[in-house]
Amino acid sequence: MKDFAGTPGTLTSFVLRVAQCFFAAGSITSMATTESFFNVTAFCYLIASMGLQLIWSFGLALLDGYAMARKKIPHKPVLVSLFVVGDWVTATLSLSAAASSAGVTVLYFGDMGRCSLGEECTKFQMAVALAFLCWITIAISSIIMFWLLATG
Amino acid sequence: MKDFAGTPGTLTSFVLRVAQCFFAAGSITSMATTESFFNVTAFCYLIASMGLQLIWSFGLALLDGYAMARKKIPHKPVLVSLFVVGDWVTATLSLSAAASSAGVTVLYFGDMGRCSLGEECTKFQMAVALAFLCWITIAISSIIMFWLLATG
């Protein structure tokens, strides 16, 4: 297997995983601290999806950190296949959760004139924005992983 | 470049492209025949995104048909790169459009008790379901194209 920026066990990969954890945690915090998120299915789905993303990315960040400390790069095809499947599943879930929450948020803000939930409105917007940022970082990781598997 | 099921100029690829056109056209028809879709940004975005998908898939279906008739497979790396970028962009747009419309539809149906728009409710659901089917077929095409580019 080739070894380029972003493959497991490199600093780029580690930074991407930490960024995913950061954005996912921020999105969950912002959404879960509102008082009415549980009334909207899309918002609950956002929390579930970001939670899954957080667990997955945290696990892979630990693995990257361990691999960097041991200077041993985990590039076994079966392991990379597992990473590819996990990355693509979580990336798809993250994008769909971010988009469905964005659809509802835009409905509240733009289509109904203005959001009537006060301070919570900013939190909804913040949670959606962070979920999209999380999706961008997981998408970069997914593409690198898939490229590694295909060229491996 | 390798030649396997689903690469440009094969019957599988042609069938996938035709299926994408079919689902995208169905989704647009179902959504555009409702009377209130323009009140919701997510539904307008669904129509725009499915329209782009329809144009893109129709163009590639024509190309596949032409290549099958001439028995000449278009596998130049620069052409495949163009297909990969186009496929991924339209796939991402389709998924986000389907998910955001699904978020709003679920809000109308599940979270607000029931949909009060009568017959239109079924059309909204149908449009979202067809958009997800369209996304599944374009996702398969995208993965095949990316694999072709990476292994080429």
Side-chain angles (χ1 to χ4, degrees), chain A residues 60-116:
Chain A
L60 287 195
L62 285 184
L63 194 78
D64 278 343
Y66 178 77
M68 280 197 297
R70 294 280 300 266
K71 299 196 186 309
K72 195 181 158 194
I73 294 177
H75 281 189
K76 281 184 191 162
V78 62
L79 211 59
V80 174
S81 306
L82 181 76
F83 294 162
V84 168
V85 173
D87 270 358
W88 281 101
V89 170
T90 55
T92 308
L93 290 177
S94 293
L95 176 60
S96 57
S100 58
S101 298
V104 175
T105 310
V106 168
L107 187 79
Y108 277 153
F109 277 82
D111 305 333
M112 290 180 173
R114 51 186 275 293
C115 176
S116 56

Side-chain angles (χ1 to χ4, degrees), chain A residues 4-148:
Chain A
F4 48 86
T7 54
T10 60
L11 184 64
T12 321
S13 173
F14 181 72
V15 170
L16 278 171
R17 297 296 174 191
V18 171
Q20 287 155 26
C21 290
F22 176 77
F23 291 134
S27 181
I28 293 173
T29 311
S30 186
M31 186 58 86
T33 50
T34 62
E35 277 173 18
S36 55
F37 75 87
F38 50 82
N39 290 327
V40 180
T41 309
F43 292 162
C44 298
Y45 174 46
L46 183 80
I47 292 182
S49 167
M50 287 292 122
L52 180 68
Q53 184 68 67
L54 182 62
I55 294 166
W56 173 258
S57 295
F58 185 70
L60 287 195
L62 285 184
L63 194 78
D64 278 343
Y66 178 77
M68 280 197 297
R70 294 280 300 266
K71 299 196 186 309
K72 195 181 158 194
I73 294 177
H75 281 189
K76 281 184 191 162
V78 62
L79 211 59
V80 174
S81 306
L82 181 76
F83 294 162
V84 168
V85 173
D87 270 358
W88 281 101
V89 170
T90 55
T92 308
L93 290 177
S94 293
L95 176 60
S96 57
S100 58
S101 298
V104 175
T105 310
V106 168
L107 187 79
Y108 277 153
F109 277 82
D111 305 333
M112 290 180 173
R114 51 186 275 293
C115 176
S116 56
L117 298 169
E119 198 188 318
E120 302 211 337
C121 301
T122 319
K123 285 188 176 176
F124 290 147
Q125 285 182 310
M126 183 70 83
V128 170
L130 286 171
F132 272 112
L133 287 174
C134 181
W135 169 69
I136 290 171
T137 50
I138 183 75
I140 296 169
S141 286
S142 306
I143 291 170
I144 291 170
M145 283 296 195
F146 192 68
W147 191 270
L148 180 69

Side-chain angles (χ1 to χ4, degrees), chain B residues 54-77:
Chain B
L54 182 62
I55 295 167
W56 173 258
S57 294
F58 185 70
L60 287 194
L62 285 185
L63 193 79
D64 278 342
Y66 179 77
M68 280 196 297
R70 295 280 298 268
K71 297 197 188 308
K72 194 182 159 194
I73 293 176
H75 280 189
K76 284 183 187 162

Side-chain angles (χ1 to χ4, degrees), chain A residues 39-42 88 92 95-96 99-100 103-104 106-108 111-112 135 143 146-147 149-151, chain B residues 39-42 88 92 95-96 99-100 103-104 106-108 111-112 135 143 146-147 149-151:
Chain A
N39 290 327
V40 180
T41 309
W88 281 101
T92 308
L95 176 60
S96 57
S100 58
V104 175
V106 168
L107 187 79
Y108 277 153
D111 305 333
M112 290 180 173
W135 169 69
I143 291 170
F146 192 68
W147 191 270
L149 181 70
T151 56
Chain B
N39 290 329
V40 180
T41 309
W88 281 101
T92 308
L95 175 61
S96 58
S100 58
V104 175
V106 168
L107 185 78
Y108 277 152
D111 304 332
M112 290 180 173
W135 170 69
I143 291 169
F146 193 70
W147 190 269
L149 180 71
T151 55

